[in-house]
Amino acid sequence: MDDLSRFCCQNSECPDHGQRGAGNLTVCDHYGPNNGRRMLRCRTCKSRFSERKGTIFFGATLPEEQIASVMEHIGEGCGVRKTSRLVGVHRDTVTRYSMLAGEHAKDLHDELVAFSPRDTRGPV
Ligand SMILES: [Zn+2]
């Protein structure tokens, strides 16, 4: 039995959208290299989506290990150029994945944090 408790419906119209461990998801198919990626189906809204949708790996061309390595370096405070040299990817690639991860982090923040103080420094 697949553990799907960390996934949630990606259909923003669905009443179970964003609810983890609600028991509404099933694995309906496999795809990708060695059929190693799962297609999930929501029982509530009947939509199907990749388990990678909503992650920085969705539609990514870079191997997962390299993406994870980029994130590790950025997370540890390495700059874009340093990360680019250490991981062996173009610096635009580092920027692209960092932006994606930043958007996801913001979405998560907005979902989980009840109150977020205003940043008086204005938009960056
Ligand atoms: Zn749904």
Side-chain angles (χ1 to χ4, degrees):
M1 189 67 184
D2 295 272
D3 178 17
L4 300 175
S5 60
R6 293 169 65 201
F7 294 90
C8 58
C9 181
Q10 296 292 311
N11 171 13
S12 56
E13 313 273 293
C14 175
D16 287 337
H17 175 240
Q19 308 274 341
R20 281 172 226 284
N24 55 318
L25 300 179
T26 55
V27 176
C28 63
D29 209 353
H30 288 82
Y31 74 102
N34 303 317
N35 266 345
R37 296 177 190 161
R38 298 174 295 186
M39 279 302 286
L40 306 181
R41 179 178 179 274
C42 173
R43 284 198 193 104
T44 310
C45 67
K46 317 280 189 249
S47 68
R48 292 161 49 107
F49 50 89
S50 162
E51 65 176 339
R52 290 158 73 98
K53 189 170 169 29
T55 76
I56 58 169
F57 300 113
F58 186 63
T61 47
L62 210 62
E64 266 180 48
E65 305 76 53
Q66 253 181 327
I67 298 175
S69 185
V70 167
M71 290 299 109
E72 256 172 34
H73 284 84
I74 292 291
E76 288 295 325
C78 269
V80 171
R81 283 167 196 273
K82 272 187 195 168
T83 303
S84 151
R85 280 193 300 270
L86 289 166
V87 182
V89 297
H90 195 274
R91 54 181 193 276
D92 289 348
T93 308
V94 175
T95 308
R96 187 157 43 87
Y97 283 105
S98 302
M99 300 280 283
L100 264 174
E103 281 168 32
H104 291 165
K106 184 183 180 302
D107 289 347
L108 189 65
H109 173 89
D110 291 347
E111 187 181 326
L112 296 178
V113 179
F115 172 73
S116 187
R118 279 179 81 87
D119 187 342
T120 50
R121 294 170 298 179
V124 185

